[in-house]
Amino acid sequence: SSSSSSSSSSSSSSCVYSGMEMVSNELALVYGTSGAHSFCTVIETLTGNVKDSRVIDRPIDVLAKMKLHVPSWKISTSSQPISTSSATASRGYRTFLLAHGLKGENPVVALLPPTSAAVSVFEAIRQKLVVHSIDVFGGTLKGFAIKKGGTLEGGYPVEEVWTVSFPVATEKICDIKTIDPDEIVHSPVSGMGDGRAPRRKYLNPSLIALATQRTGTEGKRALPGVAYTDPSIVIYLIDGITGKIIHRRAQKFGQGPVHLAIAENMVVAHYFNSKSNTFEITTIELYEDPVKTAKAESAALAAESSARNQEMDPDPNADPVFSSLIAPVPTLIQRTYLFTKSITTLAVAKTRQGITSKLVLTGLSSHQIAGIGRNLLDARRPYGEAPPTKDQMADGIVPYHPVLKLETQKFPSYNTTVARVAHITTAPTFLESTSLVFAHGLDLFYTRVTPSGAFDLLSEDFNRPFLAATVSGVIVLLGLTRRWSRQKRLSMLWM
């Protein structure tokens, strides 16, 4: 697994807010820059009490969120969670890596919070982590490995292990997205809706999706069928551990702005097509090649067996699910749709166990928030007008149509105007069917969505008195039946 970069901050003459991350439902981490320095503050969301505050003598390059759930800052009684269920009681807090100096000398990363419990867990996985830093103007994406010798106060030194460079004269980085470390995948395989046997999804926790705008030069070719003279959007899928480019796809005549979203094995991109003079949405889905994956897993098992025979202990931290070092190149399926709306941001709704169908949320330029169902974006949608098969109906797959139409019931904002939506954040609830949505820009908007319907909730018109009467009647009937049965056995004994 790898830690994913959150954002980069720039220097200014005054205190500038850069971003915020949730440590838990009760704690928030706010960070930014102030001149040549940067600040990082942890506050209680309900009371506003400052739990931790620190100033760093150089700008923060990367704030990476890790899935290390260990106890951190203590919260006051007034900020305790309302729910006292086992799910809340056993939950820990997120841990962060604060990276600075990645673009200069003596780059280091600091663990936040710097507790002994967090350091102990971090040391066990340190060798498997890679911190990413992106330079939009320089056209580079770099990966840094974390070395030994870290302390609670001074942080850990890092070294550059790989670099992906883009020709800044012809390509400009437009957007980049990484897998959310808190994402939960319910099923690692797909259904048989495309007429094939179930296939394993390519679930790379270190996958990076990056989009560039190619401007074009004379006399060269970019990709098969796409010349440098043609404006295009190029989508890169990069492994965050090795820096290997897994896939590169050019969308001919594509222009910015480009917006990306990534979830499980699906990457969604929205851009403008200058030839058709309309917006488009393309979906890329990645699946493991069964033959190549079987060979890679056999080789890994043979290497582990050889290590045991030589009385060498295998790596106890080896990931039994996915390894970037042995994973073969996946197979891809892609579908592109015409989309009549201009958008400002993309996000994917999260649920507690990942069972609910994915819902891609879009911030429209018309100051609304719209949702697009996973079945409409499915790259397995078959061509033609043949009626769907039973397997397709079970997977919710509908026949392909070039125009992607928005469903009126999938507008979380309803008829409310949400001006200039800049970002959409989603969070799971204790109900699997429900996801919380918070959109901010010029306006603030908060609501909840049920992508697959409220299947774990009773409807408002449910006859609760009838249910209570039925349960009470069953209980009374059970008591009477038990009494009659006891009397009958007693009568049989006297006969």
Side-chain angles (χ1 to χ4, degrees):
S1 60
S2 71
S3 55
S4 57
S5 60
S6 174
S7 63
S8 298
S9 56
S10 58
S11 300
S12 64
S13 57
S14 60
C15 182
V16 178
Y17 162 78
S18 294
M20 183 184 71
E21 292 285 349
M22 297 302 296
V23 180
S24 68
N25 290 340
E26 301 82 29
L27 295 173
L29 174 66
V30 181
Y31 60 98
T33 61
S34 179
H37 303 275
S38 56
F39 68 91
C40 185
T41 304
V42 178
I43 62 174
E44 291 184 358
T45 55
L46 294 181
T47 63
N49 296 334
V50 177
K51 307 302 297 182
D52 192 358
S53 182
R54 61 192 63 198
V55 177
I56 304 173
D57 59 358
R58 49 186 174 179
I60 298 174
D61 293 320
V62 173
L63 179 69
K65 179 173 63 176
M66 296 188 302
K67 197 172 183 179
L68 295 183
H69 295 279
V70 296
S72 56
W73 299 275
K74 294 182 179 180
I75 58 178
S76 59
T77 306
S78 58
S79 294
Q80 292 287 346
I82 298 175
S83 174
T84 57
S85 65
S86 58
T88 303
S90 62
R91 183 203 59 205
Y93 298 147
R94 297 181 181 90
T95 306
F96 296 86
L97 280 178
L98 203 63
H100 46 87
L102 299 182
K103 301 176 183 179
E105 298 180 353
N106 302 321
V108 296
V109 296
L111 194 61
L112 198 66
T115 61
S116 56
V119 170
S120 177
V121 178
F122 177 73
E123 280 290 347
I125 64 169
R126 175 185 52 80
Q127 294 180 348
K128 300 193 299 180
L129 295 179
V130 175
V131 179
H132 311 126
S133 175
I134 185 170
D135 185 355
V136 175
F137 299 103
T140 59
L141 175 65
K142 297 182 179 181
F144 295 84
I146 304 173
K147 300 193 297 185
K148 286 185 177 181
T151 62
L152 292 180
E153 295 78 12
Y156 291 79
V158 297
E159 62 177 347
E160 182 180 330
V161 291
W162 56 262
T163 302
V164 178
S165 300
F166 305 93
V168 293
T170 57
E171 285 190 57
K172 178 184 177 182
I173 299 176
C174 298
D175 196 9
I176 182 172
K177 288 293 173 63
T178 58
I179 294 288
D180 189 341
D182 292 327
E183 182 181 39
I184 297 177
V185 179
H186 172 65
S187 175
V189 299
S190 66
M192 298 185 294
D194 55 353
R196 304 183 185 183
R199 290 182 292 178
R200 290 171 60 179
K201 301 175 183 178
Y202 181 79
L203 301 174
N204 186 345
S206 306
L207 185 64
I208 301 174
L210 185 144
T212 63
Q213 167 71 66
R214 189 182 295 279
T215 55
T217 57
E218 297 289 345
K220 297 182 180 179
R221 301 191 67 80
L223 294 172
V226 181
Y228 271 109
T229 53
D230 299 327
S232 60
I233 294 295
V234 185
I235 301 174
Y236 295 86
L237 301 181
I238 304 171
D239 189 290
I241 296 295
T242 63
K244 178 182 178 181
I245 297 178
I246 300 172
H247 175 72
R248 182 177 64 168
R249 179 67 59 91
Q251 300 297 122
K252 196 172 182 180
F253 303 111
Q255 292 184 358
V258 184
H259 300 281
L260 296 174
I262 183 171
E264 293 188 1
N265 66 324
M266 176 183 69
V267 178
V268 180
H270 177 277
Y271 57 91
F272 181 76
N273 190 308
S274 59
K275 185 176 182 179
S276 61
N277 198 31
T278 187
F279 292 95
E280 293 181 351
I281 285 184
T282 186
T283 304
I284 301 174
E285 293 184 8
L286 298 88
Y287 294 92
E288 294 184 2
D289 188 301
V291 177
K292 294 180 180 179
T293 301
K295 291 181 179 180
E297 291 178 349
S298 299
L301 290 174
E304 183 178 355
S305 177
S306 176
R308 289 177 178 175
N309 292 335
Q310 298 175 8
E311 296 183 355
M312 295 173 58
D313 293 332
D315 183 7
N317 297 319
D319 193 341
V321 178
F322 187 91
S323 173
S324 297
L325 303 179
I326 65 171
V329 177
T331 58
L332 290 91
I333 307 176
Q334 183 175 7
R335 291 287 187 273
T336 302
Y337 308 91
L338 299 178
F339 193 69
T340 58
K341 304 291 185 180
S342 171
I343 71 172
T344 57
T345 185
L346 278 178
V348 181
K350 304 173 187 175
T351 57
R352 187 179 182 185
Q353 298 296 335
I355 301 174
T356 304
S357 299
K358 298 295 182 183
L359 181 69
V360 178
L361 298 168
T362 63
L364 304 180
S365 298
S366 58
H367 311 298
Q368 289 178 309
I369 301 173
I372 307 175
R374 173 72 171 81
N375 61 325
L376 297 179
L377 292 172
D378 202 317
R380 299 176 299 162
R381 291 180 63 177
Y383 294 109
E385 299 181 358
T389 63
K390 292 183 178 179
D391 292 333
Q392 291 173 348
M393 294 177 63
D395 276 1
I397 299 177
V398 296
Y400 174 81
H401 192 278
V403 180
L404 194 62
K405 297 182 180 180
L406 294 175
E407 303 176 29
T408 54
Q409 65 269 27
K410 291 292 181 66
F411 276 74
S413 58
Y414 306 104
N415 60 348
T416 305
T417 299
V418 187
R420 301 181 187 179
V421 179
H423 191 72
I424 298 176
T425 301
T426 66
T429 66
F430 286 105
L431 296 175
E432 169 58 29
S433 65
T434 308
S435 177
L436 302 179
V437 177
F438 177 71
H440 62 87
L442 187 60
D443 286 339
L444 303 178
F445 180 79
Y446 174 76
T447 187
R448 59 184 180 181
V449 295
T450 53
S452 299
F455 55 84
D456 52 1
L457 283 174
L458 296 177
S459 61
E460 295 181 357
D461 58 349
F462 184 80
N463 195 339
R464 290 174 174 82
F466 178 77
L467 176 63
T470 302
V471 173
S472 301
V474 170
I475 294 174
V476 173
L477 184 61
L478 286 175
L480 293 176
T481 304
R482 184 178 180 182
R483 181 180 178 182
W484 292 336
S485 177
R486 189 184 302 113
Q487 291 178 350
K488 184 176 181 180
R489 288 198 304 267
L490 183 61
S491 300
M492 292 178 63
L493 291 174
W494 279 103
M495 289 179 66

